Amino acid sequence: MESTLRTPDTSSVVVGVDGSEQARAAALWAAGEAVRRDRPLHIVFGAATDGRALYLPAETIEEVRAAGRDLLDATAKAVTAEYPGLDVSTELSRTDAVTTLHRAGGAHATVVVGSRGLGGFNSLLLGSVGLGIAAVAETPVVVVRSIGTGEERGTVLAAVRDEHDLVCARYAAREAELRKASLRLLHVWNILRSVGDVATMLDGVDEIVGEHEETLSAVTDTIHEEFPELTVEGDAEKNRSVAGALVEASRHADLLVMGGRRAPTPLGLGRNLGRATHGVLHHAHCPVLLIPRSDNPSDGRSDNSSDGRTAG
């Protein structure tokens, strides 16, 4: 997997639909992204009829599939009306949505999902399909909470935890280039988590602050060198909540790019999701592009959500 994530993804875009308004918004956002990348858009619907064939009448199964075909046709017409000339394909799958999207994404495609499906009760929370895709994805995943008012803010935001987030920063830089936007690299840290809660340990604060600044500067300098035409800003912010700081910063961004975890989480959230990523995916004010971490142990130290850095 590591080899597929070293450079910014410019491959095809896959989006899942289910008839909800959130999925429609995700399809329109995915179509715009496909146009920016000059790549095709693949729209999929997971009917999950294989798991129901034993206890549902054949007529009901066919009705579900027919409804899925109608939905795919309607979505394709909507996105091509908005983006004439876009290469659009559709797929009706008999398996569930998560399995369908993982398979459709393959080894390279970016998978786009809406923030909420038809089964949810709270629009502020990420739906089970989006969560399932993001938790174990091996390719980039975008969760679209809404498309807002259409007003562009002209900024792509990237969360930088440590030097290993250079991959995420590159993705964000590429997205900023595609949008002709600026890039903001944000490193969030909590001094109490960095040095402990014991007051006598605060003697090393200056050293710790310097380490955080060096971490951000290393990534920022590299992006400056690799994307010389791009306006890049690096910010280090002290905050008690990494997720809270990123969610607040997302109010002023068109896209937030962040990496998944590099180590299993005791919370059982999935390979990519820690406390910060989980909170951001649920509450961000702009679409979130999640870049899966490499499984290679040499790729970086264990991702501990209590270390005070921008953890996933």
Side-chain angles (χ1 to χ4, degrees), residues 244-305:
L246 292 174
V247 168
E248 182 60 29
S250 73
R251 293 180 183 274
H252 311 290
D254 297 315
L255 179 69
L256 167 56
V257 183
M258 65 187 306
R261 291 181 62 87
R262 284 192 301 273
T265 170
L267 301 178
L269 299 176
R271 55 174 291 164
N272 292 317
L273 303 185
R275 290 182 179 89
T277 47
H278 192 265
V280 169
L281 289 174
H282 275 284
H283 300 293
H285 298 282
C286 68
V288 178
L289 171 57
L290 179 66
I291 308 299
R293 298 279 195 178
S294 170
D295 285 331
N296 187 349
S298 64
D299 189 44
R301 57 179 166 276
S302 176
D303 196 309
N304 187 331
S305 61

Side-chain angles (χ1 to χ4, degrees), residues 66 165 222 256:
D165 274 318
T222 300
L256 167 56

Side-chain angles (χ1 to χ4, degrees), residues 36-298:
R36 282 187 289 269
R37 297 184 183 191
D38 193 22
R39 293 294 187 270
L41 174 68
H42 189 52
I43 308 171
V44 301
F45 173 74
T49 52
D50 279 355
R52 304 174 183 177
L54 294 178
Y55 56 87
L56 286 180
E59 295 81 2
T60 302
I61 296 294
E62 182 51 39
E63 288 176 2
V64 171
R65 293 174 181 171
R69 287 189 287 269
D70 290 344
L71 173 61
L72 288 169
D73 289 343
T75 305
K77 289 179 181 178
V79 299
T80 53
E82 187 75 17
Y83 299 97
L86 176 62
D87 182 2
V88 179
S89 60
T90 62
E91 176 187 351
L92 175 68
S93 171
R94 297 183 302 179
T95 57
D96 64 276
V98 173
T99 301
T100 296
L101 286 168
H102 275 307
R103 178 183 51 75
H108 301 285
T110 295
V111 176
V112 181
V113 293
S115 63
R116 201 69 189 156
L118 293 174
F121 64 89
N122 189 336
S123 63
L124 294 178
L125 298 179
L126 180 61
S128 59
V129 171
L131 200 60
I133 291 293
V136 296
E138 295 185 356
T139 59
V141 173
V142 180
V143 175
V144 180
R145 292 195 55 78
S146 71
I147 56 175
T149 62
E151 179 183 354
E152 295 184 356
R153 297 168 177 84
T155 300
V156 171
L157 175 68
V160 177
R161 175 186 182 271
D162 54 33
E163 63 274 16
H164 302 291
D165 274 318
L166 180 58
V167 172
C168 298
R170 287 186 177 123
Y171 268 81
R174 176 58 174 155
E175 290 290 341
E177 279 190 331
L178 292 174
R179 290 168 168 75
K180 296 179 172 54
S182 62
L183 174 64
R184 183 188 181 198
L185 303 176
L186 180 59
H187 175 77
V188 185
W189 60 286
N190 184 324
I191 191 169
L192 293 180
R193 289 182 178 178
S194 297
V195 303
D197 293 329
V198 181
T200 56
M201 298 180 68
L202 293 178
D203 293 340
V205 167
D206 289 342
E207 179 181 350
I208 292 170
V209 170
E211 290 177 357
H212 285 283
E213 291 177 346
E214 288 178 7
T215 294
L216 179 62
S217 294
V219 175
T220 303
D221 291 346
T222 300
I223 296 300
H224 270 301
E225 293 174 2
E226 295 181 359
F227 299 85
E229 303 300 320
L230 189 64
T231 299
V232 183
E233 173 189 6
D235 287 331
E237 178 178 329
K238 182 176 67 174
N239 197 298
R240 291 184 177 274
S241 169
V242 171
L246 292 174
V247 168
E248 182 60 29
S250 73
R251 293 180 183 274
H252 311 290
D254 297 315
L255 179 69
L256 167 56
V257 183
M258 65 187 306
R261 291 181 62 87
R262 284 192 301 273
T265 170
L267 301 178
L269 299 176
R271 55 174 291 164
N272 292 317
L273 303 185
R275 290 182 179 89
T277 47
H278 192 265
V280 169
L281 289 174
H282 275 284
H283 300 293
H285 298 282
C286 68
V288 178
L289 171 57
L290 179 66
I291 308 299
R293 298 279 195 178
S294 170
D295 285 331
N296 187 349
S298 64

